[in-house]
Amino acid sequence: MKRFVRSLRWALIKAAVAGTTMVALAFLIPLGLMVQQTARDRAFTAAERQAAALGPALAITTDQDAVNRALASTDAGAQGRMAVHLPVPAGAPGAPGVPEVSGAPAASGEPAVGGPAVGGPAVGGVRAAAGAGGPDGPTLGEGRAAAADVATAGGQGRAFTVAVPGGYALLQPVAVDTGRTAVVEVFVAESDLTRGVSTAWLVLSAVALGLVAISVLVADRMGSRIVASARRLAGAARSLGAGNLTVRVPVTGKQVDGSPEELREAAQSFNTMADRVVQLLAAERELAADLSHRLRTPLTVLRLNAASLGDGDAADATRHAVAQLEREVDQIIRSARRDPEDAPAVAVGCDAAEVIRERVGFWSALAEDEGRRWQLAGAEHPAPVPVQRGDLAAAVDALLGNVFRHTAVGAAFSVDVLATESAVIVLVGDAGPGYSDPAAALKRGEGHGGEGSTGLGLDIVRKLAESTGGDLALGRSAVLGGAETRLRLRTRPEEAAPARTGRRRSRGALFSK
């Protein structure tokens, strides 16, 4: 029995280890490969975001100083992993619509305007078109991709990645204007493609080992319950065989919780068998008592006859034998009718302040290049809003882009963030001419933004505000005298908000220069 119990327990443990290992491998190996692919996709997605961050700046200007500042404001640019391949300036030889001039810098090797000689070393973060230069013009930053790949990206107008020493380079074309395309290059190191993968594999391996250990414990626990049930059944069988007719195996209660149904059925069958044995033995005892009782009448006749025999040795011996026979019959009756019980037993939200700080910091590079005074107030403390980070960033970019597009170079602008208990208000003011027709400016596609404007920027901002129950209002700035755009994002339902108005901060002397 002990050997059976030991082999049953080990069999359960082995089966649990084998099953858990197969399940863990079936799930964790694909999961690990997915984590590896996710890390790779995350690295390229981050590179695409870094490249897209320069899009607005390149769409506004291709001035090398301004682009250099915008490049330095990005994480990849600050780490030396981003480069911008600019096209030939408009009107210069080699530009679209301008014929090549013999002796031009691109052909003769003379210094390019505002840059080093073609094929020369990088100076001040600018490198000429030769080698890894841009499609036609200079390269800002440290370029790693081959000139042919850069030219292909600019010519085909599509983004792709190429292998470079130490990793990959993402080439993202950006249309500067009609006929001219810049290429943003972002370097993705090999280490970025596998960042966190080793840790993920270790965690998954630890999870797999933990699952196997847990399965062993569970199997051992289940095995102990099965073994205990089997041991109780075997002990009851041995006790019944030894003569203990009262022994039974429990089939309900805490002792049998978790036992297999088969063992419960075996226990029930054992109990039924024990009850039947007791019934058969009781029937036999009753039969023996009845037969013994039937002998009493003949014995009584014998005793009377023996008493009439008179004296003598033979008569005395007959009377003694009849008396002894009566005693034996009485003993049989008492034993048969004894009770066996008397017998001896045998044992989706974000921080608006953070997003606005980030976007204003991005646009500040262009503002400084254009000599614009600017200020940001009220963004020191968190201001959670129920919108996605990317949507809010796009709205802020649309508002600041309108300032740069519709005001003269050097015009000041300001951004205020006002947080109340029910809403977050963003005020963007400028020193430009203001809105001539605010109602028309809010209509989708009907704003008079001039060349290159679609009239959709304010409509996008308005829809973002209305998605939270807020609104977008246009007016005139009391401080700067130009346009003022108020974006109100509600943070909770209007009926639940207490009556409270936020105080507007004074902005008269907060301009950065």
Side-chain angles (χ1 to χ4, degrees), residues 81-312:
R81 294 188 175 190
M82 182 181 289
V84 179
H85 305 277
L86 295 175
V88 173
V98 180
E100 293 288 344
V101 180
S102 176
S108 64
E110 296 180 1
V113 178
V118 175
V123 179
V126 180
R127 188 151 46 87
D136 301 300
T139 296
L140 308 182
E142 184 179 353
R144 294 175 174 82
D149 295 328
V150 176
T152 300
Q156 296 182 357
R158 64 179 181 88
F160 59 88
T161 58
V162 294
V164 296
Y168 293 86
L170 171 68
L171 300 178
Q172 175 70 54
V174 178
V176 176
D177 53 29
T178 304
R180 294 199 306 153
T181 302
V183 177
V184 179
E185 175 187 338
V186 183
F187 174 66
V188 181
E190 287 284 356
S191 58
D192 294 338
L193 300 178
T194 58
R195 181 172 299 170
V197 174
S198 300
T199 302
W201 277 111
L202 289 176
V203 171
L204 293 176
S205 300
V207 170
L209 293 177
L211 291 176
V212 172
I214 292 174
S215 69
V216 169
L217 293 177
V218 173
D220 184 70
R221 181 64 177 170
M222 293 177 61
S224 65
R225 291 182 177 181
I226 295 174
V227 167
S229 299
R231 283 176 174 171
R232 283 195 297 269
L233 183 58
R238 288 194 297 268
S239 181
L240 180 64
N244 184 5
L245 301 180
T246 62
V247 65
R248 296 294 183 272
V249 180
V251 293
T252 58
K254 294 183 178 180
Q255 287 184 333
V256 296
D257 288 345
S259 298
E261 187 65 27
E262 291 78 3
L263 284 178
R264 293 188 181 188
E265 293 179 359
Q268 185 65 47
S269 300
F270 174 84
N271 293 340
T272 302
M273 178 193 67
D275 292 337
R276 182 59 177 166
V277 169
V278 171
Q279 292 174 2
L280 292 176
L281 291 178
E284 287 183 5
R285 286 194 297 269
E286 290 296 329
L287 179 59
D290 292 342
L291 293 176
S292 300
H293 190 272
R294 291 179 184 179
L295 292 177
R296 282 187 174 273
T297 300
L299 283 176
T300 302
V301 174
L302 288 175
R303 183 169 54 82
L304 293 175
N305 292 334
S308 63
L309 290 178
D311 297 331

Side-chain angles (χ1 to χ4, degrees), residues 374-395:
W374 62 275
Q375 73 91 29
L376 173 63
E380 301 85 5
H381 304 290
V385 291
V387 297
Q388 298 211 2
R389 182 185 185 90
D391 295 339
L392 181 58

Side-chain angles (χ1 to χ4, degrees), residues 27 41 45 63 101 120 125 133 145 162 184 189 203 247 256 298 337 340 364 399 405 420 434 461 471 496 504:
F27 280 94
D41 294 341
T45 300
D63 180 75
V101 180
V162 294
V184 179
V203 171
V247 65
V256 296
R337 291 181 175 177
S364 65
L399 296 177
R405 185 177 297 110
T420 69
V461 179
D471 55 25
R504 182 166 178 172

